[in-house]
Amino acid sequence: MKNDRLIKTAGALDRIVKICNGFFKAFVIVLLIFSILVLVLGERMFSNGSLTAEFGFVKLYLAEEYQCITSMVKAYTIVSLLCAAVTCAIFSYVCSLLRQILAPMKEGRPFEKRIPSDLRKIAWATLIGGAISEALKLIEQMFVVKALPMDAIFASSAVTGKVYEFQFDATFILVFILIIFLSYIFAYGQALQQEADETV
């Protein structure tokens, strides 16, 4: 017995995921092109007055004398672009796996044999991709400390000192655990479905 609501929902989700995958692939290409252009063309890729410093929700526009595009600024920009490209590539891969999962669901078969395996692939992609992405973000944070004139930015009698606290978001580990758990649920459902089919 086919579930019409499942088929309709899976079809709609598949179309959305397909569009998202196209966007992520395009973003990867654009970001890599910009990374190469910054590497080759250097400061010609930066517009006048474009160098800013962001701290959480605060964005500081630097004075003209601090707008020098150094090699460290270029390195920081390239790392930032690569970090975004890696994130988009991971999302694109996950979208491809999601479409494989949705394919049998569009035909009313939610407990296809390969679904638990595809879910585990998504889980590992999340774990490995998240670790790589966070490592690149850490490198990006270290570059920004070297690239921007921090002493000049905080040269005020109101500031008595500064401490750099590098951030590492480990949420991807929790997502990995949840998806692995979900894969076991689907594997159990698939086993029950197989038993039911054999009984019939």
Side-chain angles (χ1 to χ4, degrees), residues 27-48:
F27 287 148
V28 169
I29 293 168
V30 170
L31 289 165
L32 290 176
I33 289 171
F34 271 100
S35 299
I36 294 167
L37 288 174
V38 171
L39 184 65
V40 174
L41 299 177
E43 58 189 38
R44 284 177 284 177
M45 286 296 296
F46 297 85
S47 59
N48 292 332

Side-chain angles (χ1 to χ4, degrees), residues 57-180:
F57 64 92
V58 179
K59 187 173 184 178
L60 304 177
Y61 292 87
L62 303 182
E64 190 175 341
E65 58 266 29
Y66 298 109
Q67 288 292 328
C68 181
I69 307 299
T70 62
S71 58
M72 196 59 70
V73 171
K74 287 185 281 186
Y76 161 69
T77 305
I78 291 169
V79 170
S80 299
L81 291 168
L82 290 177
C83 184
V86 167
T87 303
C88 288
I90 293 163
F91 280 127
S92 176
Y93 177 66
V94 169
C95 284
S96 299
L97 291 173
L98 282 174
R99 292 199 69 204
Q100 289 179 13
I101 291 170
L102 289 168
M105 290 185 181
K106 289 192 297 182
E107 299 172 3
R109 295 181 284 114
F111 295 111
E112 196 71 7
K113 190 173 182 180
R114 66 178 296 170
I115 289 178
S117 173
D118 286 338
L119 282 170
R120 282 190 284 274
K121 287 178 184 177
I122 290 175
W124 283 106
T126 303
L127 183 68
I128 296 167
I132 292 170
S133 182
E134 287 302 314
L136 284 172
K137 284 180 184 176
L138 189 62
I139 294 168
E140 181 185 351
Q141 291 168 14
M142 289 188 284
F143 270 122
V144 77
V145 169
K146 297 288 185 182
L148 297 176
M150 293 297 187
D151 291 332
I153 291 171
F154 295 108
S156 167
S157 57
V159 179
T160 59
K162 61 181 184 295
V163 177
Y164 299 117
E165 294 181 353
F166 297 109
Q167 298 174 350
F168 187 86
D169 186 3
T171 307
F172 65 92
I173 298 174
L174 178 61
V175 174
F176 165 77
I177 294 168
L178 289 173
I179 298 174
I180 286 289

